[in-house]
């Protein structure tokens, strides 16, 4: 589940970096594009931590919890940032 | 003629059949159907907020409200004898359904397939929790007999 979400965050980053519109909204999105990439990296790190715990007994008490929590948090931050475009100027008056 | 000079209305029909043209489609939808784009943003924002709150609520409440050490994984909160069980299952349903529906008209795109797959996986975790005696509170080590969250 979370592995697919990392790919989506990478997609957010690529899309925001290459947006074709040129308003302040797009500028903000381009600024946050690297953040989505970092979050994708944290998701992968979380998966690796959970796997390492399961396979090698690394940090047996909380390794899986740490990995899962890190990955879900990073996913949530990326999607919240992406959705926060809702309150930017370009979306005002729509709908 | 470059993609930026072709009117979005002309670009959209060919894009929606392309599995890898997600960004261009999203540009066209933002231009042509701002209401639809706004619904993408709403769904992304709400799914993101639920995702951020999930580990914070589960671990934080276990520590602060119940005074317990955190459980061994987020999935273990399925068996928590409190509202945290409901929070865990409800959050997974919210995230899962959000991931499955938010792409709307672009189900065939790569991102659409990925998000649908992730959404189904979230529902599977919510519907088929790990069966482990430790997590159920009866004492032995956990097993790996059901899908982990990752």
């Amino acid at each position: 589940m979370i592995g697919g979400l990392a790919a989506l965050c990478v997609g957010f980053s690529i899309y925001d970096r290459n947006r074709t519109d040129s308003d302040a909204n797009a500028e903000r999105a381009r600024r946050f594009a690297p953040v989505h990439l970092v979050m994708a990296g944290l998701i992968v790190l979380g998966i690796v931590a959970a796997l390492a715990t399961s396979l090698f007994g690394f940090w047996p008490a909380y390794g899986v919890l740490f990995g899962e929590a890190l990955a879900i948090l990073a996913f949530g931050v990326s999607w919240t940032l992406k959705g926060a475009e809702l309150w930017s100027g370009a979306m005002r008056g729509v709908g | 003629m470059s993609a930026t000079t072709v009117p979005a209305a002309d670009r959209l029909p060919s894009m929606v059949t392309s599995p890898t043209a997600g960004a261009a489609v999203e540009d066209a939808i933002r231009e042509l159907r701002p209401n639809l784009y706004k619904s993408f943003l709403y769904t992304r924002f709400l799914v993101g907020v639920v995702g951020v709150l999930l580990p914070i609520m589960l671990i934080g409440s276990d520590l602060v409200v119940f005074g317990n050490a955190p459980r061994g994984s987020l999935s273990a909160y399925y068996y928590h004898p409190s509202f945290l069980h409901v929070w865990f299952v409800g959050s997974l349903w919210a995230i899962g359904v959000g991931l499955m529906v938010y792409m709307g008209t672009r189900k065939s795109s790569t991102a659409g397939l990925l998000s649908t797959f992730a959404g189904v996986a979230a529902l599977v975790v919510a519907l088929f929790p790990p069966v482990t005696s430790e997590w159920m509170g009866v004492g032995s080590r956990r097993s790996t007999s059901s899908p982990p969250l990752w």
Side-chain angles (χ1 to χ4, degrees):
Chain A
M1 167 194 169
I2 300 177
L5 300 180
L8 287 174
C9 291
V10 172
F12 284 169
S13 177
I14 293 170
Y15 167 66
D16 279 347
R17 207 172 46 231
N18 298 314
R19 278 175 68 146
T20 57
D21 51 339
S22 56
D23 56 12
N25 209 24
E27 189 51 46
R28 172 194 170 281
R30 273 189 282 273
R31 206 169 52 245
F32 282 123
V35 177
H36 297 298
L37 213 51
V38 170
M39 292 303 141
L42 289 178
I43 291 171
V44 172
L45 186 67
I47 294 170
V48 169
L51 275 174
T53 295
S54 297
L55 295 177
F56 306 117
F58 167 76
W59 199 13
Y62 293 117
V64 172
L65 179 70
F66 171 78
E68 287 181 348
L70 178 66
I72 291 275
L73 264 177
F75 152 75
V77 168
S78 176
W79 279 58
T80 304
L81 264 182
K82 182 75 176 159
E85 185 181 333
L86 197 61
W87 288 278
S88 64
M91 285 292 114
R92 280 194 202 115
V94 173
Chain B
M1 187 180 284
S2 72
T4 53
T5 58
V6 177
D10 296 338
R11 300 199 307 267
L12 196 54
S14 60
M15 287 172 188
V16 293
T17 59
S18 166
T20 56
V25 172
E26 188 149 324
D27 279 342
I29 289 172
R30 189 175 55 248
E31 195 177 319
L32 282 173
R33 301 282 303 277
N35 284 341
L36 186 57
Y37 187 67
K38 199 169 182 179
S39 97
F40 291 161
L41 295 180
Y42 257 125
T43 311
R44 282 169 179 161
F45 182 78
L46 292 176
V47 166
V49 167
V50 172
V52 168
L53 287 179
L54 179 61
I56 292 173
M57 273 299 296
L58 296 182
I59 298 170
S61 296
D62 215 7
L63 283 168
V64 176
V65 177
F66 299 105
N68 296 328
R71 298 202 165 195
S73 81
L74 291 182
S75 310
Y77 284 92
Y78 183 90
Y79 295 107
H80 202 279
S82 72
F83 71 94
L84 295 182
H85 159 79
V86 178
W87 193 284
F88 173 74
V89 174
S91 295
L92 283 182
W93 271 92
I95 291 172
V97 171
L99 286 170
M100 287 168 69
V101 303
Y102 99 98
M103 291 298 278
T105 56
R106 297 179 294 157
K107 281 290 179 202
S108 63
S109 67
T110 305
L113 291 173
L114 270 175
S115 71
T116 302
F117 169 74
V120 170
L123 298 190
V124 167
V125 174
L127 286 169
F128 303 103
V131 181
T132 69
S133 48
E134 181 196 30
W135 290 353
M136 293 165 76
V138 280
S140 60
R141 299 300 299 169
R142 70 187 173 91
S143 74
T144 55
S145 58
S146 67
L149 197 55
W150 39 270

